[in-house]
Amino acid sequence: MHSPGGSPLDGTSSSFTTPSKRKPAVATGTHSRQHSDHLSSGPDQKRAKLNNPSDPVHLRMSKVLGKRPELVDLTKPPTAFQPHKGAKKLVIKNLRTTSRVSDLDKYYDVTKQELLDALQAIFEQKQPRQPLERLYRGVEDLCRHGDERELYKKLQERCEFYLRNNLHRSIMAEAGPSNVDVLRSTYKHWVIWNAQSTRIRSIFSYLNQSFLLRSKEFPQINDMAIMLFRRTVFTTSHSGINTGAKSLAGMCDLVDYDRRGDTQFDPALLRDSISMLNVLTIYGKSFEPRFLETSRLYFEEFAEEQSATSLKNYISSCERLLAREDYRCNAYNFESTTKRQLMDDAHTILIERYSDKLLDSGSITRLLDEKAVESMKALYDLLRLSGIQKRLRQPWEEYIKAAGSEIVKDTSRADEMVLRLLEFRRVLDIMIRDAFNRDDEFTYSMRQAFGSFINDRKILSAWKNGASKVGEMIAKYIDMLLRGGLKTLPKSLLSDIKDRVDAEQSGQASTADEDAELDRQLDQALELFRFIEGKDVFEAFYKQDLARRLLMGRSASADAERSMLAKLKNECGSNFTHNLEQMFKDQQIARDEMVSYKSWCEGNGHAKSNMDLNVNILSAAAWPTYPDTQLSLPDDVAAQIERFEAYYINKHTGRRLKWKHSLAHCVVKARFNKGPKELLVSAFQAVVLTLFNQIEDKPDGFLTYQQISENTGLSGPDLDRTLQSLACGKVRVLTKHPKGRDVNPTDTFTVNKAFADPKYRVKINQIQLKETKEENEETHERVVQDRQFECQAAIVRIMKSRKTMTHANLVAEVINQTKSRGAIEPAEIKKNIEKLIEKDYLEREGGSYTYLA
């Protein structure tokens, strides 16, 4: 300490002593800059001296430094002895003259009272009079003084007193008569208490951090606030009124309002109330059991009410209810355990208890008949929630068998059988894809049901040919598809967008391509073909139809023909398609033969005829058998045929040709009043038409039925069908007298010179592509005969390998070996065994048969 005006250093000083090399100190940076402005720059300039008394900077520094000497000798050590200054005076300000203990006690008492006043202000939702920082410091001082335990107990007592006597009474005072009003008031005061506890926690945060955080005896302030509110509002009853129970009931009432579409529903209050219960940790113990119980009662009431309606309405109502329950649980922050138990209860009550209604065959049949994909999807999803979707398979199979049986035994719509079956199958495929989520079990059930009704002998007994009818109709459907292409199909069978997407994802050609779509339709037909047991019937009719398409040149696509042949070969093996493949080879050989024949004609000097002959040489073993028909050909046609036959026999020694005129077709040029036309006709039609050239000069020339028969060699049904196609069909190039749809032996015919058609080439030979009733019966009879031969061959094959077998074992083995070609009745097998015994292939010994080598 030194007196004012005294120098801090001791020793002599003189302004004339040698200046120190140390730069003189300046007062501030500003002064330094001002002084440096008077200095000149340059390397040779000397430093300016600061001992000029007139310098304003010097004067200011003197005032600041007092009477300090301008130069100080720092070589001498400083000393406290100052003989010229005298004694120093020590002054102590604010010196306490009393004890500090009483002052500290008074400070702590004042601090405690300030904190209590602050709590009261917070409870009254006012701002404390003391700054929050001062209150925080007061808590810190009390804790450091060791009063933390007393401070916490006092805080707890005040909070508990406030909640019990102020806040709870306020809740009841503001609550209305309903449970929802009590809940609304409770949540409002919970928000108030939450804000108050936050303010309290900020003031007493030092107590929280220094004492409560490490204490196992007392909870932290936030936990204490939650515990006190829970105990006061939700646990304890006041005046016989339990606000907590009424609040929980109010939450259940809100959910009920939402379920019933009541306008009193308050979504924000429900969401906030659930959050409040989660904070208070009473959600699982108090609210969840009450909520689940009321929900179960509601589900039971809902199910009983809706079960009186139709299945479709019940499914849609349950679907909407479950969707709404799921949405509510997610939107209003219900616990995941609550949602799981709630949905389980709903599934048990709505689905499992009413499974008999959901799986009622009659109701499901109506849904499937209506093609209600959405309703079936909802039903499947409902059943899957309870894990009982597999029980839907039984009514599903029953429906398929019943509906399929009705199609198969409908004799009035025989031509539409396969088309209707495919449409039915298409509906079922869409149902599996869109409603059953591509469940393989339902696909398997569908195939089982199809195989059942397609081969059910009781169902097929409605047909004269029994089990052979389905195979025949499938062959005819494929024939229609290969002749006419996709234009012959209804739109309902064509692929939709989902089918195209699936095809592209599986790496197949998109069904938007016409060839790919045709290939898909052939696959659909093969799906039915796989179900039938009488594949020999299919083979016979397919072979017959294929022959017509090849010989008449009526295939829509050669690629489709070969694709179908490859599919059949892959499905049934090479033995099944051997003859079919030979038919295609014969076509190619015939084309090569005609090229060779024309070259031979040119080389032998035969004059070029105005008629172009084309002959198909067919191997009799591969092609169907056709009846021989007598036909009187025109002279020029007969001459061409004789020339070709001479050429062929000369070239292929030992071969013999049989002409099948019923399969021949040709193009005839005709002149009518409105212009010339080209008529595409069969050989029978062409022979009949050329007869009218002989009476062309007669003005009223006509030919009688008898004259036509004598000159063509045709008679009976062949002649009737030919004349009917020329005079009674859509294209009438002849006129029948008298007019009518049936041809009689007394009718006469003339050329219809007024015939007109927009096309230059007109097709009239459609009759050749149609199968007659007689041909159909002959094909079936031929199949039956072939089955007898196959049965006998199988018996001999089996006995040759086994030598001895009982009757039952032999019959079972024969059925097993022949089922792929066609089912044979046990009675038919027994007859064939008797025939083989007569032919000495077998002999009967007791109850068994022995093979005779």
Side-chain angles (χ1 to χ4, degrees), residues 220-424:
Q220 297 186 40
I221 295 174
N222 185 60
D223 296 337
M224 178 198 69
I226 293 173
M227 178 191 67
L228 292 178
F229 188 89
R230 178 178 63 238
R231 186 168 62 194
T232 303
V233 178
F234 284 91
T235 306
T236 308
S237 298
H238 300 271
S239 302
I241 301 175
N242 191 332
T243 54
K246 293 179 73 66
S247 298
L248 295 174
M251 295 175 66
C252 294
D253 291 345
L254 284 177
V255 174
D256 191 64
Y257 291 157
D258 185 29
R259 286 169 173 163
R260 302 181 188 278
D262 197 316
T263 56
Q264 299 181 64
F265 175 62
D266 188 344
L269 178 60
L270 179 61
R271 183 184 299 106
D272 295 337
S273 300
I274 291 176
S275 299
M276 174 182 69
L277 297 188
N278 283 322
V279 174
L280 295 172
T281 65
I282 59 173
Y283 175 92
K285 182 178 180 181
S286 301
F287 171 71
E288 186 180 67
R290 181 189 295 262
F291 169 70
L292 292 175
E293 180 61 29
T294 57
S295 297
R296 280 190 287 270
L297 294 175
Y298 173 76
F299 293 152
E300 290 173 356
E301 177 189 349
F302 176 87
E304 185 177 356
E305 178 184 345
Q306 295 297 324
S307 63
T309 62
S310 65
L311 177 60
K312 185 175 183 180
N313 184 69
Y314 184 81
I315 292 170
S316 59
S317 299
C318 291
E319 185 182 29
R320 288 193 300 269
L321 173 65
L322 293 176
R324 184 62 188 169
E325 294 295 328
D326 182 82
Y327 169 78
R328 186 185 303 108
C329 290
N330 294 331
Y332 301 114
N333 301 323
F334 284 79
E335 292 287 342
S336 59
T337 55
T338 305
K339 176 183 175 181
R340 183 170 60 252
Q341 293 181 47
L342 177 70
M343 302 307 286
D344 288 345
D345 290 342
H347 300 160
T348 301
I349 296 171
L350 300 175
I351 302 172
E352 293 181 17
R353 292 185 185 178
Y354 288 85
S355 59
D356 292 340
K357 178 178 180 62
L358 292 173
L359 297 171
D360 179 63
S361 297
S363 301
I364 292 175
T365 297
R366 283 191 290 274
L367 290 180
L368 293 172
D369 284 337
E370 295 171 5
K371 302 177 183 178
V373 177
E374 293 299 324
S375 296
M376 290 302 299
K377 175 177 174 56
L379 174 61
Y380 177 80
D381 291 339
L382 286 177
L383 297 174
R384 187 174 60 176
L385 292 173
S386 295
I388 58 174
Q389 74 274 15
K390 293 182 180 180
R391 292 172 58 184
L392 185 60
R393 288 179 55 186
Q394 181 178 352
W396 166 255
E397 283 190 37
E398 291 175 357
Y399 167 75
I400 295 174
K401 290 178 182 179
S405 299
E406 291 298 323
I407 295 174
V408 170
K409 66 183 181 182
D410 187 359
T411 56
S412 62
R413 302 172 65 182
D415 294 339
E416 302 175 15
M417 179 196 292
V418 176
L419 197 61
R420 291 171 65 193
L421 285 174
L422 289 175
E423 288 180 331
F424 181 53

Side-chain angles (χ1 to χ4, degrees), residues 50-190:
L50 299 177
N51 55 2
N52 188 1
S54 62
D55 192 342
V57 176
H58 178 75
L59 294 175
R60 285 195 298 272
M61 291 179 63
S62 297
K63 291 179 181 180
V64 173
L65 300 176
K67 295 182 178 181
R68 288 181 61 187
E70 297 171 4
L71 298 175
V72 180
D73 188 0
L74 298 177
T75 59
K76 295 181 179 181
T79 177
F81 179 68
Q82 297 178 358
H84 304 291
K85 302 297 181 182
K88 294 181 181 179
K89 183 179 180 180
L90 182 65
V91 179
I92 301 175
K93 296 181 179 181
N94 298 325
L95 179 64
R96 294 179 181 272
T97 58
T98 60
S99 174
R100 295 185 59 187
V101 176
S102 59
D103 292 343
L104 284 173
D105 293 340
K106 183 179 179 180
Y107 167 74
Y108 291 137
D109 292 341
V110 170
T111 301
K112 291 177 182 177
Q113 187 60 43
E114 289 177 349
L115 290 172
L116 295 177
D117 294 342
L119 281 176
Q120 187 62 34
I122 291 172
F123 293 153
E124 295 175 358
Q125 302 183 48
K126 297 178 181 179
Q127 182 70 22
R129 289 187 298 112
Q130 300 298 333
L132 295 181
E133 183 179 0
R134 179 170 176 175
L135 296 172
Y136 174 84
R137 295 300 179 189
V139 172
E140 181 180 357
D141 291 341
L142 289 173
C143 291
R144 291 181 181 275
H145 187 249
D147 294 338
E148 60 270 14
R149 185 179 295 271
E150 178 186 353
L151 181 62
Y152 177 79
K153 289 184 177 180
K154 199 69 176 177
L155 172 64
Q156 184 178 12
E157 290 175 2
R158 284 302 182 97
C159 290
E160 189 172 2
F161 180 84
Y162 162 72
L163 289 171
R164 186 173 59 253
N165 295 284
N166 297 90
L167 188 134
H168 187 268
R169 291 179 181 176
S170 179
I171 290 175
M172 297 307 301
E174 295 183 14
S178 69
N179 295 329
V180 175
D181 293 334
V182 175
L183 173 65
R184 187 174 285 108
S185 178
T186 300
Y187 177 73
K188 174 184 176 182
H189 287 81
W190 160 252

Side-chain angles (χ1 to χ4, degrees), residues 31 48 78-79 86 118 235 281 381 390 402 498 596 610 673 693 744 797 805:
H31 295 159
T79 177
T235 306
T281 65
D381 291 339
K390 293 182 180 180
K498 291 185 179 180
S596 176
N610 59 355
N673 293 342
N693 290 335
N744 299 311
R797 225 175 15 251
M805 286 188 76

